[in-house]
Structure formats: C-alpha cells, structure tokens
Amino acid sequence: MLPHAEWAAACVSPAFVGLAYARETSPEVVVLDMLANCFILEDQDIMASYVHAFDTLRSASLTPRESVASFGRRWTAAPQKTRNRESPKHRDPLPEVDVLRGRIGQ
C-alpha cells in the first residue's frame, strides 16, 4: 500500500510490469500496458529507469504488516452503515482484514 503522503512516488513512471524468469532478481523484460496494445522492453539501459521507478515505489510503500494495520484502521473508522450495506452487490470490501491481522501478528 502506498500512503497518501507518498503519492508523488507513483508519478515517477507510467504503469508497467517487470517480468523476471527463474531466479533472476532484476526484471528481464518490462511491459508497458497501453490502451490498445502493449510495449515489451528488453533493452537493459531502458529497463534501468523502470527498475529505479520500482525501487522508488517499493521504498515509499508500507510493509505488509503496516498495510494491514492501515486497512484495519480505515475499516474501523468507516461509518457503520457504510460497512453493513444490505445489497448483495455491496459486499464487504475488506472481509479478511481480521484474518490477515491474525496471520501477520503471529
């Protein structure tokens, strides 16, 4: 989860996916998803900027434990009528927060 205060980190690049095969630690290709198609980048010099963008996002993001805690705080702070909608199309957006909190806390 990217905290609101760190949202500027999300602006470092357009949306992309880095793919690594086998046990590679750095991506071997970067896929840029566009509206009508996608671009697959394999040039190491070009991919370096995407690796840097990914590292920037990762360092600005919360840890898994912090993310679950943040979701839990937001869920607890939500008005009760928002959390307990009767319509089947409005299902509980975070049904597993307590389960995840229990798993991570162990």
Side-chain angles (χ1 to χ4, degrees):
M1 180 175 160
L2 190 63
H4 189 271
E6 299 291 338
W7 194 247
C11 299
V12 296
S13 75
F16 68 93
V17 175
L19 301 173
Y21 304 101
R23 293 196 167 131
E24 295 294 322
T25 56
S26 292
E28 296 177 56
V29 296
V30 169
V31 180
L32 299 176
D33 209 7
M34 310 304 272
L35 288 174
N37 56 19
C38 68
F39 295 104
I40 299 175
L41 307 174
E42 298 179 273
D43 184 290
Q44 294 294 321
D45 293 333
I46 295 172
M47 288 188 343
S49 61
Y50 289 94
V51 170
H52 175 70
F54 177 77
D55 290 341
T56 300
L57 286 168
R58 183 173 43 188
S59 66
S61 297
L62 298 176
T63 66
R65 183 184 306 256
E66 292 167 336
S67 295
V68 169
S70 178
F71 280 125
R73 284 191 303 275
R74 291 172 194 271
W75 179 250
T76 303
Q80 189 68 27
K81 69 178 186 176
T82 301
R83 295 189 332 209
N84 293 329
R85 292 189 177 146
E86 307 245 344
S87 170
K89 70 178 186 177
H90 292 99
R91 290 191 295 162
D92 187 349
L94 297 173
E96 299 180 12
V97 168
D98 291 327
V99 174
L100 289 173
R101 187 180 302 137
R103 277 192 227 146
I104 290 177
Q106 294 175 352

